[in-house]
Amino acid sequence: MSNQITLYQHGTLALLVPGLLKGTITLGQLLKHGDTGIGTGEGLDGELIILDGKPYHVHATGDVTLAPDSFKMPFANAHFARYTPLAELENVDEADLNKQMVSLSKAQNTFFSIEIHGTFSSMQTRAAVKSNPPYKTLAETAENQSVFTRKQIEGTLIGYYSPQLFEGATVGGFHHHFISDDHKFGGHVLDFHLDKGNVSYQLFDTFEQHLPVNDKQYMQHDFSKDDIENSIHQSE
Amino acid sequence: MSNQITLYQHGTLALLVPGLLKGTITLGQLLKHGDTGIGTGEGLDGELIILDGKPYHVHATGDVTLAPDSFKMPFANAHFARYTPLAELENVDEADLNKQMVSLSKAQNTFFSIEIHGTFSSMQTRAAVKSNPPYKTLAETAENQSVFTRKQIEGTLIGYYSPQLFEGATVGGFHHHFISDDHKFGGHVLDFHLDKGNVSYQLFDTFEQHLPVNDKQYMQHDFSKDDIENSIHQSE
């Protein structure tokens, strides 16, 4: 039971802001904490979405491959899926859907995940372009990301909601990734319009925050000078 | 191994601010997550310090009793002690000691605990006065707390350090509780001067945040109107 109510996170959104982008957890290690999740590769190498234990890596080229267990990440979330159906929705855009999710789940003060499977009349995603040391800041990476759009696409959106109190460690509010049913299109969700889909959700009572304490650069960094909140809002 | 690198927290500092003071974890449940810790009772009923598995409850009267397993708390921290000696210190006040701990541990970007056993030339503590529903806000409680001072007292200080990023969920920086060797004096530490003592520390790579998702009042509360940061700074 207990592993179904825990959202695991390695790293923080805040460490991406100044470009602490070294991979500090492997996919193999992450998968011990869940069969479902999201993340990004070392150097902000694209976008990861894990569905049914399968880790789809959306590259900046738009290509999607399965990532190996050795794939390293500076930031990732994972949990063991046990979603409960919440609603069947039609003709709804992202802002409206996010609002409905908070109101239907009554869970704005805890962490939860949503899964939407359906037909999206439009889906806009992005994939970050990998940088090498010295890594770029999150703002610099955001200036040079690949943006993809598809019309009438079927697929699955995995999203995490975090209470505003945890903004900085997480994205306060929603953070969605997407993968198409044919596994050829996906990424970090920028915007969408859902034609018709089933929405389910999973509530967590525990947020397990794991920090990269063996990474000297992380441990020595002075975060007090980073404008974390603004940078997250502009980039996410 | 893994349970020695996890700091468990039930509730958040933020929920104390508007007075969400219902006890949502029992001491018996908390002790499954550690033999060492700090907390407060339902309604901000005094201060708790757990040492070697023994939960000392410092009442607003100044009396210290052992709390029963049924004792309920809105907020608490616990971990399994495995401290490493860090320094022998003499003639040092709280601000200086906190600064030295951050610098010696090199751990400002993760959670850690410190334990100090020694002789304190002065120790000032407080214990909150329990309120009943409708509970007082944290600021109102702080206006009416009991403050105690002892000179030349031997005892143990248990402190937790949280990175600034987690302020709101925790007290950013240090949060210390104290219990004397004779178990007759203690509380939430306001100020101290250490005459001579041994300081040890324990680093955590995991912060396990448990939220009271079964408490309707918590789940329905609108935190956006609470001035959490200022209230914590003024009260803690």
Side-chain angles (χ1 to χ4, degrees):
Chain A
M1 176 62 190
S2 90
N3 65 12
Q4 291 152 23
I5 50 177
T6 295
L7 170 61
Y8 178 83
Q9 178 168 295
H10 173 78
T12 62
L13 243 299
L15 62 77
L16 304 181
V17 171
L20 294 163
L21 303 182
K22 192 176 156 186
T24 43
I25 191 171
T26 65
L27 186 56
Q29 290 168 322
L30 182 69
L31 290 172
K32 290 182 186 162
H33 300 278
D35 53 21
T36 304
I38 63 176
T40 184
E42 177 163 272
L44 289 185
D45 178 11
E47 313 288 339
L48 191 86
I49 173 167
I50 307 170
L51 208 59
D52 298 326
K54 292 210 177 66
Y56 301 98
H57 181 198
V58 182
H59 300 258
T61 56
D63 294 333
V64 182
T65 59
L66 279 173
D69 273 0
S70 59
F71 185 69
K72 284 186 175 174
M73 294 160 289
F75 178 81
N77 284 113
H79 76 282
F80 288 99
R82 183 66 67 97
Y83 290 98
T84 306
L86 190 64
E88 259 191 71
L89 293 180
E90 275 183 49
N91 193 23
V92 58
D93 64 16
E94 177 171 11
D96 189 16
L97 186 131
N98 287 351
K99 212 184 276 181
Q100 285 196 48
M101 289 304 98
V102 171
S103 131
L104 287 169
S105 68
K106 296 185 177 66
Q108 81 256 28
N109 292 332
T110 194
F111 296 83
F112 64 88
S113 177
I114 63 171
E115 184 189 58
I116 308 175
H117 183 259
T119 305
F120 295 80
S121 55
S122 80
M123 172 61 72
Q124 188 179 53
T125 64
R126 72 108 199 272
V129 178
K130 182 178 183 173
S131 71
N132 292 305
Y135 293 120
K136 289 183 180 171
T137 65
L138 190 62
E140 286 164 354
T141 302
E143 281 171 12
N144 186 33
Q145 60 191 5
S146 303
V147 176
F148 312 109
T149 308
R150 288 292 183 282
K151 302 287 179 194
Q152 290 302 121
I153 187 157
E154 294 190 12
T156 303
L157 177 151
I158 296 288
Y160 289 105
Y161 171 89
S162 305
Q164 204 53 40
L165 185 64
F166 293 89
E167 164 107 344
T170 67
V171 181
F174 287 97
H175 184 180
H176 300 316
H177 283 202
F178 179 78
I179 184 78
S180 62
D181 280 355
D182 64 9
H183 305 148
K184 288 183 177 165
F185 170 79
H188 172 102
V189 174
L190 294 178
D191 198 16
F192 66 80
H193 190 95
L194 177 67
D195 204 20
K196 194 175 176 183
N198 292 309
V199 185
S200 41
Y201 88 119
Q202 182 172 359
L203 186 143
F204 306 114
D205 68 9
T206 300
F207 175 61
E208 188 179 347
Q209 169 69 67
H210 182 252
L211 295 169
V213 298
N214 296 319
D215 181 18
K216 252 195 186 163
Q217 274 190 299
Y218 170 75
M219 289 298 271
Q220 288 171 359
H221 184 75
D222 178 4
F223 283 96
S224 68
K225 286 165 195 155
D226 299 328
D227 188 3
I228 293 168
E229 216 162 307
N230 271 331
S231 190
I232 290 177
H233 278 282
Q234 280 166 27
S235 311
E236 299 297 316
Chain B
M1 177 62 189
S2 89
N3 65 13
Q4 291 152 23
I5 51 177
T6 295
L7 170 61
Y8 178 84
Q9 178 167 296
H10 173 78
T12 62
L13 242 299
L15 63 77
L16 303 182
V17 170
L20 293 163
L21 304 182
K22 192 176 155 186
T24 45
I25 191 172
T26 65
L27 187 56
Q29 290 168 321
L30 181 70
L31 290 172
K32 289 181 186 162
H33 300 278
D35 53 21
T36 305
I38 63 176
T40 183
E42 178 163 271
L44 289 184
D45 179 11
E47 312 287 338
L48 191 86
I49 173 167
I50 307 171
L51 207 60
D52 299 326
K54 293 209 177 68
Y56 301 98
H57 180 199
V58 182
H59 300 258
T61 56
D63 293 333
V64 181
T65 59
L66 280 173
D69 272 1
S70 59
F71 185 70
K72 284 187 175 172
M73 294 160 289
F75 177 81
N77 284 112
H79 76 283
F80 288 99
R82 183 67 66 97
Y83 289 97
T84 307
L86 190 65
E88 259 192 69
L89 293 179
E90 275 183 49
N91 193 22
V92 58
D93 64 18
E94 177 170 11
D96 188 17
L97 185 131
N98 287 352
K99 210 182 279 178
Q100 285 195 48
M101 289 305 96
V102 171
S103 133
L104 287 170
S105 69
K106 297 185 176 65
Q108 81 257 26
N109 292 332
T110 194
F111 296 82
F112 63 88
S113 177
I114 63 170
E115 183 189 58
I116 308 175
H117 183 258
T119 305
F120 296 80
S121 55
S122 80
M123 173 59 73
Q124 187 179 53
T125 64
R126 73 110 198 272
V129 179
K130 182 178 184 174
S131 71
N132 292 306
Y135 293 120
K136 289 183 180 172
T137 65
L138 190 62
E140 286 164 353
T141 302
E143 280 171 12
N144 187 32
Q145 61 191 4
S146 303
V147 175
F148 313 107
T149 306
R150 288 291 184 282
K151 302 288 180 193
Q152 290 303 121
I153 187 156
E154 293 190 12
T156 303
L157 177 151
I158 296 288
Y160 290 104
Y161 172 89
S162 304
Q164 204 54 39
L165 185 64
F166 294 88
E167 165 106 346
T170 66
V171 182
F174 287 96
H175 185 180
H176 299 315
H177 283 201
F178 179 78
I179 185 77
S180 63
D181 280 355
D182 64 9
H183 305 150
K184 289 183 176 165
F185 170 80
H188 172 102
V189 173
L190 295 178
D191 198 16
F192 66 79
H193 190 96
L194 177 66
D195 203 20
K196 194 176 177 182
N198 293 308
V199 184
S200 41
Y201 89 118
Q202 182 172 358
L203 186 143
F204 306 113
D205 69 9
T206 300
F207 175 62
E208 188 179 347
Q209 169 69 68
H210 181 253
L211 295 169
V213 298
N214 296 318
D215 181 19
K216 254 196 184 161
Q217 275 191 298
Y218 170 75
M219 290 297 272
Q220 289 172 358
H221 185 76
D222 178 3
F223 282 96
S224 68
K225 286 165 194 154
D226 299 328
D227 187 2
I228 293 168
E229 216 162 308
N230 271 331
S231 190
I232 290 176
H233 278 284
Q234 280 165 26
S235 310
E236 298 296 316

